[in-house]
Structure formats: structure tokens, C-alpha cells
Amino acid sequence: MEPLSWTGSVGVFLNPLLGIAAAIFAILVIAQMVMSLFAAPVTLQSNADGTLVARAGALGTVENLLRYLVFALVLIVLAYIITGIVLPYGQTGILGAMSKRFLPIWVALILTFGLSMMFKRKLGLYGKLFDSTIGMIGFGLVMFWVYTAIFSALFGWIETFDPLGQPSDLFIAKAMKNAFPGAVFGTGTEGTFPHYLLGGDTLARDIFSRMVAGSAIVIQIAPLATLFAFMVGITLGLPAGYFKGRLDTLLSFLANLILAFPVILLFYLLVTPEIVDTGIPSFMAVVLFVFPIVFFAVLLNSRYHTQPKVRTPLLIVVLGALGWLYLSLVSQDGTVLHFMPGGLDLFDVPPGILVVFVSVVFVNAPTVFRIVRSLTLELSTRDYVAAAQTRGEGSWYIMLWEILPNARGPLIVDFCLRIGYTTILLGTLGFFGLGLPPESPDWGSTINAGRKLLSQFPHGALAPALALLSLVLGLNLLADGLREESLKD
Amino acid sequence: MLIFLLRRIGTMILTALCLTFIVFWLTNLSPNLEKVAKSELGARITDAEVTSWLDKNGYNDPTILRYGQWLGVLPGWTRTDADGAITGRCIPAGADAQAAAAAPTYCGVFQGDWGFSTVFRRDVSEIIARSLALTGRLMLAVLIVMIPSALILGVLAGMREGSRTDRALSTVSIVTTATPEYVSGVVLIAVFASSAVGLKWFNGSATSAMDGITFANFTLPVLTIALYGMGYIARMTRASMTEVMTAQYIRTARLKGVSFPNIVMKHALRNALIAPFTVIMLQFPWLLNGVVITETLFNYKGFGWTLVQAAGNNDIELLLGVSVVSVFVVLITQLISDVGYVFLNPRIRIS
């Protein structure tokens, strides 16, 4: 077995093409920017024969060329992916092999995009996302990692080796230590996957599989932690902005207090083993995780309190379920808080994860609080709020059923951005080796493990770094597209 | 204005007291203290020995009293042993009775006594002064690179909203905000300093920059921090610039026939730069984060590196000192940003 090169035999022919196209593209983009600085603003000029002229001259030509070049670049990239899937394994190099490995994800992505495009007029804001190119690119990047996480965590389809285990054969382990991308595993005929696609790390584990397994950790924690932060921020921000006065002063002071804390110092103070032993993170979990229950209780009660027949069973069911989840989440084996009998305790979160989760929620909640508070301050002067007040609705009804739905646009955009920020925070925690166990395949820890050998073997840290970059970039682009589309209304 | 300023400073002092107390409480929890005792006396001591050591060194007083002593508003503890030797917070170890009597009553942060680092075996104030000087140089370079480029990027993008230039530059700033320091640092080192790519233009470590800054050893850390902050400032500048460009007085200027460059330079820019000023100031807490990550990545022994060492090695006094400084940096930049905003924007009147 030969080690794989990056692009294999198709590269001979596609690489120069890509190089030339990219070089021309870069030159033209710069030329266009310089030229547009001196050009007159675009005016659509309508001719007598009913046609429109956008822009003529050199700048117009450059703009048209750029449009075609974008198409050409996309086609070349697609060619890499498709040849990788179609041609037999090994001919198309590492990129081809990876693209073959990601086949379920391509199928899922095509299905998602096809269905969404077909019904986009019936899907509200989500459907409008498919009108914006930036939004679609962002959504594609995010869904790529979401599907990677789902398929690898549930079915184990994507990863090629065990992300945590080292090769059992000592000779192979020695050869695969810090192996370069495309290295042959053993002789390539062990019956396992024949290559380490993105090379091996210092413990001879496959970097590709670790990167894929790392996505599952990020995709599980980041959105959920952001959701909890939003619950806390909304439950506290609405009354602060609506009632104002002392309550607002106090809550704002507390929020500013947390915001003035350097994040890394806070992490070091909260996530060290000594502090975990004292149970402070567990008690913080007790406080922070109460907020979703409070939120839903108030939400349902304020709506249905006039119809006790509906409200009482609804509240019993919802609060019962949430309460049980809450108690099982808070009660953890091996911490100070362990009160649930084994049969009733639904699940135990791995020890490091809960602490990481709590600290990330704690850091994010004050910012959400500030956003919700300022939105509420603005929206509570609107006429529909005054109308609801005249009707005699309760304060909580006005906050949760009049103000909150009208604040959803900015909140959805911020939710996307904040998931990205949470991903960065998780990476920071991993980078400093806090919280998660060192062998964990999450991206931050892998970057931390790889950075010591960066000058000789950069691939170990580079793969998770680029993965993290693409996910956060996708979330930011998605937020940008959503903002653009929601402003169009 | 004066009342506004006084109220802001009052809130700031209260916040600083709360925050330092929280840090003090968290670092002085009993498991941390036990660890200190064990690292001072050896790992195999009994619980009774730990307790007696803690008692002898004044660690068993209530936290709030010890916080007061650390601040320097309460008199430091003193203790007389059975054999008559006097020990105390303000008395140097091994001092005789005469020296002990001459020692000051108060010794805390207010008196300039920041304690002693157990890891570096030096005075905390000395370590912090040296590391702050190193970080100061880094930050200065970062600001010199970051602010002009961010402002240029933002103004160029916001000048003509929706144009190709705008979209291209906005995408650039989105990409930089999506790249945390530990990603951009890794990518920059891999591309420009590793033997795998082979460019080797710069050094992958900034350790040598502590003695003398050269282009080769300082470029990458500065770029790493500047890139992440740049995108955010550029986006804020763009937003403020687009808002200004749609204002009435700009339209008036255009109708009067003022040339486009003149409008941008003379009319729009001044008003468009007010909002980015606050953003730049509020960016400092994030820069502090970036400094910690970058200094760790490039092994530059400045303030952030010291923070990591202090927190990782349970060096309580040093960690307290570091947090006091960082909390004050954050609060003072917040104050400057508030006051500066009022000062720069004549439309805002404080009642």
C-alpha cells in the first residue's frame, strides 16, 4: 500500500486548474475593489428599447468575469468531491477518500437543501434563509457538522478508527505516532481502514476520527448550553426591563459584575478539581437549571390561568416532566449532591461535562440578560403593550406573550451568534485543559495536545482548528443571513 | 457631569470590592488552603498538622476578616507562640521581638503589600510589574496594528452599503471574528513558522521577544490577537458608518455638489467614529482573554502567562494580585468608554 497524496491522480489535472482560477479570482477581486473606490455609484440605466444597463466599461467587465469565476471555482471544488465519491478508493488521494467517507453527509445535505428549497415559501423565516447566499453557505457549514455529529455519534459511520484507542500492535503504534496525513496503517491489509487520512497524533491515534468524534461533543453541548443561557437571560431580563426600578438596578449590577470578570480567570476558578470537590459548580447547576422550569411554569400559567381545567393538568404534566429531568440532572454520582435513588435517576452526565456546561451557561447568561432587557425596555413603550395593559392582562402575560414574541428576530440572530461564541468558549476550556478529560476528542483539547509539536507536526492541531473555524464561521454567516432576511420584512 | 462621574466611580469601586471578594473567597476555600499547606510542608502530613499549620499562619480566621486584612483595612493578625515568639501577617518570617514590635499594623493591597508568590519565590508586586510591562508592549503593538486596519476596513465597507466592496470586506470581518486566537495562532504558526510548510518566515515562539523585539519573533503573536478583535471593531464601524451615510446632512452635502471623497473624509468620518470608540474600549476585556491564550501559545511570559501559571499552580497571592489588576483594567476601560462617549458626543446631555 502506498501512502495517499492529498489529491491523488485527479489532482494532476484539477490542482493547476484550481490554482489558476483562484489566482485570477484574487487579482480580479483586488482590482475590482480598487476600481470601485474611484467609480461613480451604480445607477441602473434604462434604454429606449426597454433593456437595463447596469455598469459598462472595465469595471463592468471585471464584475461579470468575477461572477463566472465564482461558478468555475465552485465547479472545481465539486469536481474534487464527486470524483472522490465516484472513483475507486486510493485514486483520488486524501480529499477523495474523505469525501467518500462523508457520503452520508452529502446525501443528507442534498436532501435538506432540496426539500427546504422546494417548500421555502411555506417555512417562514427558515425558508427565507434560502433567499440569501450568505445564509445558505452558513447553513450548509453548520448542517455539515450537525450531520457529522449525528452520524458519528449514533451510527459510527464517519470515523475510520477508534478515536480514543491506540493501535494495539506496538510496531504500528510506533509508526503511526505523529504520522503525516495519508500514512498507511500497518501494511494496509490489517482489515481495518487502510490509511490515517489526516495523520496520527502523539499517541498514534487517528486525527480524522478524533476530529469527527469531537464534533459530536461540541454539537451536543454548545446549542444546549446556549439554550439554558437564553432561558436564564429571558426569565431575568424581561422583568428587569418591564418593571424597571430597584429590581432592574440590582439585576443589572449583578450582570455587570459577572461581565467584568475576565472569562479565563472565572474558568480557572470554577473548573479546577478542588473547587469541583467543594460542590460549588453543583450548587450553581441547582440554581441555573431551575430557570427553564420557572420559565415554562410562568409561560403556561400566565396564558391559561383563566381556564383552570386546562391549566392544572397541563402544568402538572409539564412541570412533572421538567422537574424529574431537573432532579436527575442535578443529582450526580460522585458529587456532593447525590440524593436520587438509582432507579429514579434517569441519567448521569459525565463528571467533567456538567461543570463545563454550568460555567459556559454562567458566562453567557448576563449578555443575554442585557440584550433581553434592552429589547424589553424598547418594546414596552409600544401600543400593543398599552392595549394589553388596558385590557387588564397580567404583567407576566404581557412580558411572555406580547413582548417576547415581538423580540424574537434579534433573539434568533443572537442565538446563532452565541452558539458560535459558546463553541469558542468550549474550545478555550479545552485549550487550557480545563474540565474535560485530557483524552477527550473535543476540538479544544486536541488543539491543546497538538500545539506542543506545532513546528514539526502541525497537522495534529490544524485539523481540529480548521473544523472549529468552519463551524463558528458557518454560525456567524447563518446569523448574518438571518439578520438580513428578518430585516426585509 | 460631575455627579454622573462620581456615581460611575462609586459603582466601579463597589464592583471592584465585590469581584475581589469573590476571587478571594474562591481561592481561599479550604481545599485550596490544604493544598498550600501540603505543598509547603510535604504531601504526607496528617490532617492535624494541616490544621495546626493553617492556624499558625492565620488561615483559620473568618474569610471576611482575612479579606479585610488582605485589603489593608483591618490590622494584620499577630500570634504569640508558647515559647514567646511573635508571628504575624505583617511580620517577616524569623524576625525577633524587636522587629516584630516595629512591624506595621496594617499591611494589605492598599499599603502596597501584595504578598509573596509561592511558585516564583518573589514578591507578587514585582512579578506583576514585570509581566505587565511585557504585556504592555504586546498590547501597544496590537493596538497599533488593529485599530487603524479595523477602522479602514469598516469605513470602506460602510461607505457604500450593499456594494461589492462592502460585501467582500464584511465577509472578511466575519471570518476574523469567527477565528478565535487559538485557531488563528495555530494556523499562522503552521503556515509561517513550521518546517512542514517550510516558509519559516517568523518564529513560532515569542520567548526571545522578552529580551528584544524583532520583526520575526513579534509578528505572529501580534497578528493573532489583532485579527480576532479587528473584525468586531470593523463591523461596528461599518454599522455606524452606514447609519451616518444615510443621515440628512450627508444628503444635503451631496445635493450641494460636494465630492464623494470629501463627504466621507470631512463630513461623515467624524460622526461615524464615535461609536467605534466605545467599542474599542469595551474590547479590552476580550483582548485580555486573547492575551492569555496568545501568551500561552507563544510562550511569552507576560501577564496572561502569569495568570495561567498562578491559577494552574494554586499560587493564591499571585492569583489575587493578577485578578485585582485585570478587574481594574476592565472597570477603568468601561469608565473611560462611558465618559469618552459623553465627551465625544455633544448630543448626549446627562441630567
Side-chain angles (χ1 to χ4, degrees):
Chain A
M1 272 273 172
E2 293 279 298
L4 292 177
S5 67
W6 276 103
T7 47
S9 54
V10 287
V12 177
F13 157 83
L14 282 177
N15 287 354
L17 216 59
L18 182 71
I20 293 167
I24 300 176
F25 183 75
I27 293 167
L28 283 186
V29 164
I30 293 167
Q32 189 241 352
M33 268 190 202
V34 173
M35 283 160 87
S36 69
L37 281 187
F38 302 104
V42 194
T43 42
L44 278 178
Q45 177 195 333
S46 53
N47 297 334
D49 56 355
T51 53
L52 283 173
V53 176
R55 166 134 60 192
L59 187 53
T61 325
V62 169
E63 283 188 355
N64 281 336
L65 269 177
L66 269 178
R67 209 164 295 150
Y68 295 128
L69 266 175
V70 171
F71 273 115
L73 282 173
V74 171
L75 278 182
I76 297 174
V77 172
L78 276 182
Y80 278 114
I81 295 174
I82 293 170
T83 50
I85 298 170
V86 176
L87 291 179
Y89 179 85
Q91 278 203 9
T92 46
I94 299 170
L95 286 181
M98 285 207 302
S99 124
K100 205 191 270 295
R101 204 64 205 169
F102 281 133
L103 184 63
I105 294 164
W106 305 133
V107 174
L109 276 181
I110 291 170
L111 279 179
T112 314
F113 270 78
L115 286 176
S116 311
M117 298 278 242
M118 213 187 285
F119 301 109
K120 72 175 172 185
R121 290 288 159 253
K122 291 175 191 161
L123 289 172
L125 184 61
Y126 169 75
K128 277 196 202 137
L129 190 64
F130 291 87
D131 291 337
S132 125
T133 325
I134 291 277
M136 279 202 295
I137 297 174
F139 184 69
L141 281 172
V142 173
M143 288 320 283
F144 176 85
W145 287 114
V146 171
Y147 285 133
T148 312
I150 293 174
F151 291 152
S152 78
L154 293 186
F155 311 112
W157 282 347
I158 314 291
E159 58 250 58
T160 47
F161 288 88
D162 175 12
L164 296 178
Q166 294 165 261
S168 47
D169 189 322
L170 275 180
F171 281 109
I172 298 180
K174 204 171 172 198
M176 297 324 282
K177 188 182 166 189
N178 292 322
F180 279 103
V184 184
F185 182 79
T187 55
T189 49
E190 270 85 359
T192 56
F193 199 78
H195 294 96
Y196 267 14
L197 289 176
L198 291 177
D201 65 4
T202 36
L203 293 176
R205 295 169 297 194
D206 180 32
I207 291 171
F208 176 74
S209 305
R210 284 179 69 75
M211 181 186 82
V212 168
S215 73
I217 296 180
V218 174
I219 296 286
Q220 274 168 21
I221 300 181
L224 206 60
T226 316
L227 194 68
F228 271 92
F230 262 75
M231 292 281 177
V232 178
I234 289 173
T235 320
L236 294 177
L238 282 174
Y242 187 77
F243 295 125
K244 306 187 187 82
R246 289 250 175 84
L247 179 74
D248 181 28
T249 318
L250 178 71
L251 287 176
S252 298
F253 179 73
L254 288 179
N256 288 337
L257 205 65
I258 301 172
L259 285 176
F261 226 101
V263 178
I264 292 181
L265 187 62
L266 199 66
F267 282 159
Y268 260 112
L269 290 178
L270 285 181
V271 190
T272 46
E274 287 81 29
I275 305 274
V276 175
D277 287 342
T278 61
I280 290 174
S282 309
F283 289 117
M284 282 169 69
V286 170
V287 176
L288 288 175
F289 296 156
V290 152
F291 282 98
I293 301 182
V294 174
F295 177 79
F296 280 108
V298 179
L299 184 80
L300 295 174
N301 186 48
S302 63
R303 176 93 195 206
Y304 295 110
H305 69 104
T306 46
Q307 303 149 263
K309 270 190 190 153
V310 184
R311 181 209 42 187
T312 315
L314 191 69
L315 274 184
I316 288 174
V317 170
V318 170
L319 291 189
L322 283 179
W324 195 5
L325 284 177
Y326 169 76
L327 289 177
S328 340
L329 186 64
V330 166
S331 157
Q332 291 282 323
D333 259 342
T335 61
V336 235
L337 287 175
H338 178 55
F339 51 83
M340 293 277 278
L344 285 176
D345 202 345
L346 291 178
F347 51 84
D348 265 332
V349 187
I353 299 226
L354 189 77
V355 180
V356 168
F357 195 86
V358 168
S359 40
V360 170
V361 173
F362 186 68
V363 168
N364 268 323
T367 328
V368 181
F369 164 82
R370 291 231 292 212
I371 296 169
V372 176
R373 175 182 165 272
S374 64
L375 282 171
T376 313
L377 276 177
E378 191 200 322
L379 291 178
S380 54
T381 57
R382 295 288 170 88
D383 286 346
Y384 53 77
V385 174
Q389 280 164 343
T390 333
R391 282 204 308 272
E393 304 281 10
S395 316
W396 283 101
Y397 178 86
I398 296 177
M399 281 182 246
L400 287 165
W401 292 95
E402 302 277 350
I403 294 177
L404 188 59
N406 284 295
R408 68 179 185 281
L411 286 185
I412 291 172
V413 171
D414 188 69
F415 187 70
C416 288
L417 281 178
R418 203 146 292 283
I419 296 177
Y421 180 61
T422 311
T423 312
I424 292 181
L425 280 184
L426 287 176
T428 311
L429 277 170
F431 181 78
F432 287 107
L434 295 169
L436 297 162
E439 78 276 1
S440 148
D442 76 291
W443 294 336
S445 310
T446 325
I447 295 174
N448 183 31
R451 75 184 160 95
K452 282 137 199 160
L453 292 170
L454 213 46
S455 52
Q456 288 106 45
F457 307 107
H459 53 274
L462 213 49
L466 292 179
L468 190 138
L469 169 61
S470 64
L471 176 63
V472 179
L473 180 64
L475 285 161
N476 282 11
L477 292 177
L478 179 63
D480 216 52
L482 281 174
R483 181 187 295 132
E484 210 171 89
E485 292 303 317
S486 68
L487 282 180
K488 274 184 189 165
D489 297 339
Chain B
M1 182 72 196
L2 197 68
I3 293 172
F4 163 76
L5 203 65
L6 283 179
R7 188 181 291 163
R8 285 291 318 178
I9 292 176
T11 325
M12 193 183 109
I13 291 172
L14 188 61
T15 315
L17 284 178
C18 288
L19 282 179
T20 44
F21 180 70
I22 293 171
V23 178
F24 190 86
W25 175 65
L26 281 173
T27 46
N28 280 282
L29 285 170
S30 54
N32 284 336
L33 293 178
E34 271 168 37
K35 214 168 139 191
V36 171
K38 282 181 182 157
S39 69
E40 292 293 311
L41 297 179
R44 271 188 235 149
I45 54 171
T46 58
D47 286 354
E49 279 174 312
V50 169
T51 325
S52 81
W53 186 85
L54 290 179
D55 196 42
K56 218 166 82 185
N57 287 285
Y59 284 117
N60 276 348
D61 294 343
T63 310
I64 186 80
L65 291 184
R66 295 192 32 237
Y67 176 66
Q69 294 176 11
W70 172 78
L71 269 185
V73 292
L74 291 179
W77 55 268
T78 49
R79 235 170 227 88
T80 316
D81 282 355
D83 52 356
I86 300 175
T87 54
R89 181 183 161 80
C90 308
I91 303 167
D96 54 6
Q98 215 166 11
T105 334
Y106 296 93
C107 55
V109 173
F110 289 152
Q111 283 80 27
D113 188 347
W114 291 58
F116 189 76
S117 157
T118 52
V119 173
F120 296 102
R121 300 277 158 203
R122 283 219 194 102
D123 272 345
V124 168
S125 45
E126 189 190 324
I127 299 171
I128 288 185
R130 207 190 47 201
S131 62
L132 267 184
L134 285 173
T135 299
R137 274 192 268 169
L138 183 65
M139 290 296 268
L140 189 69
V142 167
L143 293 181
I144 289 174
V145 173
M146 181 176 76
I147 293 178
S149 48
L151 291 183
I152 291 174
L153 216 66
V155 168
L156 282 183
M159 201 163 72
R160 288 202 182 107
E161 196 188 357
S163 68
R164 214 42 100 70
T165 319
D166 176 20
R167 266 179 284 159
L169 293 182
S170 298
T171 315
V172 171
S173 45
I174 290 180
V175 173
T176 62
T177 42
T179 322
E181 290 88 357
Y182 51 88
V183 169
S184 54
V186 162
V187 173
L188 286 173
I189 293 179
V191 174
F192 293 116
S194 76
S195 51
V197 174
L199 285 179
K200 290 211 156 196
W201 291 350
F202 305 112
N203 291 3
S205 137
T207 317
S208 57
M210 290 187 291
D211 303 323
I213 294 172
T214 62
F215 190 63
N217 62 24
F218 219 47
T219 310
L220 289 187
V222 169
L223 267 188
T224 306
I225 304 180
L227 271 180
Y228 186 52
M230 194 178 77
Y232 188 65
I233 299 179
R235 288 175 84 174
M236 290 299 144
T237 315
R238 176 188 171 272
S240 134
M241 187 74 189
T242 50
E243 199 188 315
V244 169
M245 288 305 280
T246 52
Q248 296 285 335
Y249 70 94
I250 298 288
R251 189 190 293 174
T252 313
R254 293 198 104 166
L255 290 176
K256 276 163 69 186
V258 183
S259 73
F260 190 72
N262 245 338
I263 290 179
V264 171
M265 297 303 289
K266 286 194 181 149
H267 297 248
L269 211 52
R270 241 191 247 181
N271 283 322
L273 291 185
I274 295 174
F277 170 77
T278 37
V279 176
I280 291 169
M281 277 300 158
L282 293 178
Q283 196 70 6
F284 268 88
W286 302 115
L287 284 179
L288 204 67
N289 263 343
V291 164
V292 178
I293 295 172
T294 312
E295 286 182 356
T296 313
L297 184 62
F298 287 94
N299 202 19
Y300 182 77
K301 291 176 179 140
F303 189 68
W305 183 85
T306 312
L307 191 157
V308 172
Q309 293 302 317
N313 295 312
N314 196 33
D315 190 342
I316 295 179
E317 307 251 291
L318 183 58
L319 189 57
L320 279 169
V322 168
S323 15
V324 169
V325 173
S326 51
V327 163
F328 261 89
V329 168
V330 172
L331 291 176
I332 285 174
T333 49
Q334 276 178 3
L335 185 72
I336 295 176
S337 109
D338 280 3
V339 175
Y341 190 70
V342 175
F343 185 72
L344 286 178
N345 196 342
R347 280 175 297 189
I348 292 188
R349 292 274 173 271
I350 305 297
S351 54

